[in-house]
Amino acid sequence: MGKGKDRPADPSAGSGAALLIIDMISNMDFRHADEIAAPAEAAARRIKALRAAATRAGLPVIYVNDNFGHWGMEWPRLVEMCEASGETAATLVRLLRPRKADLFIIKPMHSGFYATNLQALLPRLGVSRLILTGMATELCVLFTAADAHMRDYSLWTPADCVASSTADGGEFALRLLRRHMGVEVRPTAERGLEDWLESSASS
């Protein structure tokens, strides 16, 4: 996990929320990578803006990422490997390269909670609310959201900060999140971070 001097000294004293960026550091070497490339780049630009807003608000930013089978590789080297993996992968790294203040967690399966230290980290940061972003909406974002919902986190998955290989698949996953888990899915174009933080704090 990365750590830097611009991280708040006591995150638990902050807003109680965190931004998760799921699988956006990618080698783009998987099935349907070509189909998800353009949506992923569009989402990355929105996530970058949301990340900046989260940092201004004092929220921790946590990358939850696949390691593509490289179990002995440290995350900075993983980022370098992805950056060298092709045009789309390099664009995603350029837009969302982890900063010194950000945290980075490796996950072995779809959910960010499965066999990771995320569920131990979040209480240490005083987090009870999560903003979930990344790809793919119908896989890793959905599985992470389901596990977070079962752990009673308040959730926002902005529709313009996630990416799917098909529009239908992404929309179906967002409907599941909204209808069955009570997840806020309005895009950042319609709802700002400050507004969500204020409303979710009182819910």
Side-chain angles (χ1 to χ4, degrees):
M1 293 185 296
K3 187 175 181 181
K5 63 182 181 180
D6 50 337
R7 161 169 287 285
D10 182 11
S12 65
S15 68
L19 171 64
L20 266 58
I21 300 176
I22 302 168
D23 285 342
M24 291 301 289
I25 304 302
S26 174
N27 61 8
M28 300 301 289
D29 183 17
F30 52 83
R31 187 181 179 189
H32 302 307
D34 290 343
E35 291 91 335
I36 204 172
E41 289 187 26
R45 290 180 170 83
R46 292 287 191 177
I47 295 169
K48 182 178 181 180
L50 183 58
R51 185 183 68 172
T55 298
R56 290 193 297 271
L59 274 60
V61 175
I62 307 170
Y63 286 75
V64 184
N65 219 90
D66 191 82
N67 67 352
F68 312 105
H70 298 280
W71 289 100
M73 187 179 291
E74 296 290 334
W75 72 260
R77 179 69 185 92
L78 183 70
V79 173
E80 292 177 3
M81 181 198 73
C82 290
E83 188 173 22
S85 295
E87 183 177 352
T88 299
T91 297
L92 296 179
V93 171
R94 176 177 56 81
L95 290 167
L96 290 174
R97 185 185 304 276
R99 306 158 303 176
K100 290 182 179 179
D102 299 332
L103 301 165
F104 201 104
I105 289 175
I106 295 295
K107 64 180 179 66
M109 294 293 288
H110 301 308
S111 172
F113 286 90
Y114 179 78
T116 76
N117 63 358
L118 183 63
Q119 59 186 349
L121 172 65
L122 294 176
R124 293 289 299 271
L125 297 178
V127 169
S128 60
R129 297 175 290 165
L130 293 172
I131 306 159
L132 304 182
T133 66
M135 65 176 176
T137 317
E138 69 275 28
L139 288 172
C140 297
V141 175
L142 178 63
F143 279 64
T144 302
D147 274 355
H149 172 68
M150 288 190 292
R151 289 165 173 79
D152 206 29
Y153 286 94
S154 296
L155 302 173
W156 179 27
T157 302
D160 56 354
C161 292
V162 290
S164 295
S165 58
T166 68
D168 287 347
E171 290 168 4
F172 178 71
L174 290 173
R175 285 198 301 272
L176 284 178
L177 293 175
R178 186 182 72 250
R179 293 178 181 178
H180 300 294
M181 302 180 208
V183 179
E184 170 65 85
V185 298
R186 276 184 287 176
T188 59
E190 295 180 9
R191 182 166 211 184
L193 174 63
E194 186 175 337
D195 178 56
W196 179 77
L197 289 173
E198 183 178 349
S199 66
S200 62
S202 59
S203 61

